[in-house]
Amino acid sequence: MQLNFSGLRALVTGAGKGIGRDTVKALHASGARVVAVSRTNADLVSLSKECPGVETVCVDLADWEATEQALGGVGPVDLLVNNAAVAFLQPFLEVTKEAYDMSFNVNLRAVIQVSQIVARGLIARGAPGVIVNVSSQASQRGLTNHSVYCSTKGALDILTKVMAVELGPHKIRVNAVNPTVVMTPMGQAAWSDPQKAKAMLDRIPLGRFAEVENVVDTILFLLSDRSSMITGSTVPVDGGFLAT
């Protein structure tokens, strides 16, 4: 399925690594003008060399004021992928305020802030648009040592639905993708223990973790007109994990 995003401008957060980086590359290859947002400048420099013409913005989305300053004047955006996220793995009884605050600031609050900036611009222009939030299977299942991460993703799922309800009349679609473990640097850090990985793999009917391209393909479908009647959905990319 060939998707063409020529003439459209996309913004991707968490663009330095993993799902976000490959989403930028796929959108760029499909004709979109892309704004790549990351807190790590070195990642943006290397991305710019891979994808000449990509605009880069270096900002820590956990900082509301810095984000407003960096993105408040970003200009017209038609497609938004809220991918930036952090994961602090702590037993419930050892959850810290710092881990809680950082997780909710990046995984939820930044989604609200960046989406407001983009949606207000779309509405002011009278233009249709699409937002895809990168959630997780952890939004719908309890995973050991993931109490804060699961909570942020559960909140993101319901935020996605409320955004879809409120922004739908403005012709802005909002969906989420909910991957299983993906072999990104963050996924490898969390699931490198073979015993821990086996316990998860045993719960996935297809018997494997996701590749980055599995998630990117789903994101691109949801951004495209091929999914024009889909909004308010949370789409599993999980090998059947949530079916068990």
Side-chain angles (χ1 to χ4, degrees), residues 4-235:
N4 186 348
F5 294 102
S6 296
L8 299 176
R9 192 159 178 256
L11 189 152
V12 181
T13 70
K17 297 180 177 70
I19 294 167
R21 188 183 186 95
D22 280 19
T23 299
V24 169
K25 290 160 66 175
L27 284 166
H28 181 260
S30 300
R33 290 171 294 138
V34 187
V35 181
V37 180
S38 173
R39 64 181 176 181
T40 308
N41 191 59
D43 290 338
L44 293 174
V45 170
S46 64
L47 180 59
S48 294
K49 291 177 180 175
E50 276 191 73
C51 300
V54 166
E55 301 173 58
T56 61
V57 177
C58 188
V59 65
D60 182 355
L61 295 176
D63 185 330
W64 182 280
E65 287 74 22
T67 299
E68 184 63 39
Q69 186 173 6
L71 296 179
V74 72
V77 173
D78 306 290
L79 312 171
L80 170 62
V81 180
N82 286 306
N83 169 71
V86 296
F88 298 97
L89 307 187
Q90 299 172 326
F92 170 71
L93 293 176
E94 298 175 19
V95 168
T96 63
K97 178 182 183 296
E98 290 74 20
Y100 177 93
D101 287 346
M102 178 63 80
S103 297
F104 272 91
N105 286 351
V106 175
N107 297 7
L108 190 72
R109 193 183 73 181
V111 173
I112 293 173
Q113 183 181 17
V114 178
S115 297
Q116 284 179 336
I117 292 169
V118 170
R120 285 170 181 155
L122 286 166
I123 293 167
R125 288 190 289 137
V130 188
I131 299 172
V132 175
N133 297 326
V134 179
S135 185
S136 169
Q137 67 181 15
S139 68
Q140 299 175 46
R141 295 290 187 277
L143 304 177
T144 301
N145 296 337
H146 285 67
S147 56
V148 174
Y149 183 77
C150 286
S151 298
T152 64
K153 295 303 188 178
L156 182 58
D157 279 6
I158 198 63
L159 174 65
T160 298
K161 293 180 182 298
V162 176
M163 288 170 63
V165 169
E166 294 194 16
L167 297 177
H170 300 286
K171 303 297 182 281
I172 300 170
R173 296 189 296 110
V174 188
N175 293 291
V177 292
N178 297 63
T180 184
V181 176
V182 185
M183 287 295 97
T184 62
M186 192 165 81
Q188 289 166 355
W191 297 93
S192 56
D193 178 3
Q195 188 173 356
K196 180 182 177 183
K198 183 181 185 303
M200 176 61 73
L201 286 167
D202 286 345
R203 298 170 65 183
I204 299 175
L206 292 185
R208 60 184 173 88
F209 292 145
E211 298 296 334
V212 173
E213 67 179 17
N214 301 142
V215 185
V216 173
D217 286 347
T218 308
I219 292 171
L220 262 61
F221 168 69
L222 290 173
L223 290 174
S224 77
D225 289 340
R226 298 295 181 95
S227 62
S228 62
M229 196 58 185
I230 301 175
T231 195
S233 294
T234 53
V235 182

